[in-house]
Amino acid sequence: MHEQALAEGIVRWAIEAALGRGGSRVKLLEIRYALGHVDPDSLRMLLEAAALGTPAEGAELRLEGFLTRHTCLACGKEFQAPRQGSPECPRCSSPALAADARPEVYLEALEYE
């Protein structure tokens, strides 16, 4: 499962970052995810499962969705993509789009002690 690998990678990176900076446990993970591309409930469950038995177990999880931005390659219009379905340009209806560079899921902030 794609989201499981993302969750495991985020937890692993957070633990390595906390321990590498002298921390002993992860207190908070702030995570951003693309609306319409990632199910936040599943992501939360997978993050909690990945943290079990690790220094990240019990960490507060703050998840916040964002709309993906696109640029139409035909007319140059910039717009936010809808939450569902394949977007097309609202100005010229072209499906030829360039999405912003943010990944579907990423760690925005980390707190540890």
Side-chain angles (χ1 to χ4, degrees), residues 38-97:
V38 175
D39 175 41
D41 294 329
S42 295
L43 180 59
R44 180 177 296 280
M45 181 185 69
L46 291 167
L47 288 162
E48 290 170 349
L52 283 176
T54 74
E57 185 171 5
E60 179 183 352
L61 299 174
R62 292 184 193 157
L63 279 63
E64 184 178 323
F66 64 86
L67 289 171
T68 305
R69 293 208 46 83
H70 291 277
T71 302
C72 178
L73 299 176
C75 72
K77 169 100 175 133
E78 292 185 6
F79 62 98
Q80 289 185 324
R83 291 183 182 209
Q84 300 292 337
S86 297
E88 62 181 35
C89 178
R91 180 187 292 158
C92 72
S93 300
S94 173
L97 307 171

